[in-house]
Amino acid sequence: MTSTIRLASPAELEAAFQQELATDRWAAAETAYALALRLRDAGEWDTSREWVKQCLQLLDGFPSDTEEQVATRRTAVGGVPLPNYLHPGVVRERFGELA
């Protein structure tokens, strides 16, 4: 049996990001990553680049000295899988020249 998870639309992810930005900046960074990935996979390079930048800006405000500090809290956001660890190096590696 396969489970089908509906991917959130970019608009849904952006709405979640706006809410999280005011209440939980780490969750907002995770959502910005998911949004950047979702848009990249849809071929929306310029918009994806903007979300990569947003994610990196948020991550710069967090310590990243230990694995515990960079471990993601969720496995996915809106059906978009997250890496186990989220820090600027991971984002730059995953997004290459979009970062």
Side-chain angles (χ1 to χ4, degrees):
M1 174 153 87
T2 50
S3 123
T4 310
I5 297 175
R6 182 185 78 80
L7 284 177
S9 71
E12 290 169 321
L13 288 171
E14 189 169 346
F17 171 83
Q18 294 301 331
Q19 184 177 9
E20 292 164 349
L21 192 57
T23 59
D24 185 345
R25 293 178 69 79
W26 181 260
E30 290 178 345
T31 301
Y33 175 92
L35 192 48
L37 189 61
R38 177 90 164 81
L39 291 164
R40 183 195 70 186
D41 290 352
E44 296 182 37
W45 310 111
D46 291 337
T47 310
S48 175
R49 182 177 287 115
E50 292 304 313
W51 284 103
V52 168
K53 288 179 186 177
Q54 182 68 50
C55 180
L56 288 170
Q57 286 175 342
L58 286 166
L59 291 174
D60 281 342
F62 291 100
S64 60
D65 300 322
T66 67
E67 285 184 357
E68 186 175 273
Q69 292 172 327
V70 297
T72 51
R73 295 188 214 150
R74 302 177 280 184
T75 58
V77 173
V80 178
L82 294 177
N84 293 329
Y85 303 104
L86 189 59
H87 56 81
V90 168
V91 174
R92 288 186 180 95
E93 179 183 314
R94 301 265 173 113
F95 288 94
E97 61 187 53
L98 289 178

